[in-house]
Amino acid sequence: FFFFFKQKTAYEMQRGLVGSEMCIRDRLKTVAKKIVMAVVNVRKPIETFDTVQRLLSFIKPFIEGIAGEDEAKDDPYEFEENQNYAAKLVHQIECKDPVTQLEALVLLKEAFEKGGPQRMRYTIPSLVFSLYRLAQRSLKRVTEEDEKRRPSSDSGSENTTPSGQLEGPPKIPPLKLYQIAYQAIESISQAHPETAVRLYLHGVLSMNNVVSSGTDCEELGYQFASQALVLYQDEITDTDAKYRAITFIIGTLQKAIFFSFDNFETLTTNTVQYCAKLLKKQDQCKAILMCTHLFMSKILNDSDRVDKNLKKSLGLCGICKIAENKSMDLYLSLIHISEPTRPERISYAVFCLKKKK
């Protein structure tokens, strides 16, 4: 009887300890959530690194999760809401010094990466866009400070230090910020490839402004674009997701202004090949039609490949007419895109259609 009593008591104690541990976890998460919601709803910018550090120490269970906790049991809607608040928190950090801002974002990056792929799906994109925005801001600040500190012809070197160095805040190379963003995107590329592709391509578009200021980032931009193509080919399997991704890739390449001829031709050729491998013929036709704009760009300006693309699209229109009976919008798209391709009064597509009749 005494042995049974001891075992029963120990079992009850163990169950009570587990229950109390779960209560503590829930309370920690609830308190952390209330802190994050209060900071986000007040909309007051966080301007110092120490404040960010202290805040992260309080909301660690909210950002990183709790060890041993099964997140699969959480309500998916509540989980998504919580992580959206965490993503909004990133945009509250607005340090006046760009260097301090970068240190705060790197600290957040390390915290987010400990939270696992499910949380990173919501938090990493906001972090990456904050890095892109900081790259534009630091570039603008460098330009303004250079103008202020530029010695005038009358004052000589009045704004210089005794060693001859210009005074002012330290500069952040924009390429360094894009490299950190690349690492952050890479951390979610396997779990969420479609999101990663979009973040890579947004980086390419963001580099347009950096290049216009005189910074050479073609090598890094090519790395961003090529990695997006690799993820598209290897990781994205859904048919509709592939079409959305290839559309975004084409639009990004069309707006990119800093690629050399060789790099741009390589990216464009690979994109056209991937368009031809789309599962639905209708998607193939529309994607190849969009690629026509790439061959009409200032970088390539290849009329032969424009004609080749239009002929291929016209053939796909005929296949769609027989197989799916959905070719009317494709013919109209073909006419619309081919209008600026030739100086004659009649476009190439209309000429082919008339000849076919």
Side-chain angles (χ1 to χ4, degrees), residues 309-324:
N309 257 28
L310 291 174
K311 288 178 180 178
K312 190 169 186 178
S313 300
L314 189 62
L316 288 170
C317 284
I319 295 175
C320 293
K321 182 178 180 181
I322 297 172
E324 303 176 8

Side-chain angles (χ1 to χ4, degrees), residues 68-290:
E69 182 185 22
D70 187 7
E71 296 177 355
K73 296 180 180 179
D74 293 344
D75 181 14
Y77 296 104
E78 184 180 359
F79 180 81
E80 183 177 358
E81 182 187 16
N82 293 345
Q83 298 315 306
N84 283 331
Y85 270 108
K88 291 177 182 178
L89 184 65
V90 179
H91 301 294
Q92 297 291 113
I93 301 175
E94 297 181 6
C95 303
K96 295 181 179 179
D97 183 13
V99 177
T100 307
Q101 177 82 0
L102 176 59
E103 292 174 353
L105 292 178
V106 170
L107 187 66
L108 276 175
K109 173 178 173 292
E110 294 172 356
F112 288 156
E113 289 175 347
K114 294 177 183 177
Q118 292 302 319
R119 285 185 171 86
M120 290 163 64
R121 174 188 176 187
Y122 302 96
T123 54
I124 289 297
S126 62
L127 176 71
V128 170
F129 278 106
S130 293
L131 287 167
Y132 292 160
R133 190 169 65 249
L134 180 59
Q136 309 296 323
R137 173 187 161 193
S138 63
L139 190 68
K140 183 178 179 181
R141 175 143 185 181
V142 165
T143 305
E144 292 175 352
E145 292 295 334
D146 286 344
E147 290 294 331
K148 292 178 182 178
R149 303 191 323 258
R150 182 178 296 170
S152 61
S153 56
D154 298 332
S155 58
S157 58
E158 96 180 358
N159 290 333
T160 59
T161 60
S163 61
Q165 298 291 330
L166 290 174
E167 295 179 346
K171 299 179 180 180
I172 304 178
L175 294 183
K176 179 180 179 180
L177 296 169
Y178 286 111
Q179 288 168 353
I180 297 173
Y182 184 89
Q183 295 170 3
I185 301 170
E186 199 172 20
S187 63
I188 64 168
S189 60
Q190 300 299 318
H192 308 288
E194 189 175 0
T195 302
V197 167
R198 288 179 173 271
L199 292 175
Y200 279 130
L201 296 175
H202 275 294
V204 175
L205 294 176
S206 175
M207 290 180 196
N208 278 341
N209 295 330
V210 177
V211 170
S212 61
S213 67
T215 304
D216 183 15
C217 52
E218 182 187 357
E219 183 179 353
L220 189 59
Y222 181 78
Q223 187 177 356
F224 271 65
S226 58
Q227 188 62 27
L229 285 170
V230 170
L231 285 178
Y232 166 84
Q233 180 66 11
D234 297 342
E235 301 296 335
I236 300 178
T237 56
D238 182 70
T239 303
D240 295 333
K242 271 187 170 294
Y243 179 71
R244 288 194 300 267
I246 201 67
T247 302
F248 197 13
I249 290 171
I250 295 168
T252 301
L253 292 179
Q254 187 180 350
K255 294 181 180 179
I257 61 173
F258 56 87
F259 289 121
S260 64
F261 177 85
D262 293 336
N263 286 339
F264 189 78
E265 186 180 29
T266 301
L267 293 171
T268 302
T269 302
N270 290 337
T271 302
V272 174
Q273 290 175 356
Y274 293 152
C275 290
K277 294 178 182 179
L278 288 170
L279 185 61
K280 297 179 181 179
K281 293 296 182 182
Q282 187 176 3
D283 291 345
Q284 283 186 31
C285 182
K286 290 189 286 187
I288 291 174
L289 272 176
M290 287 186 281

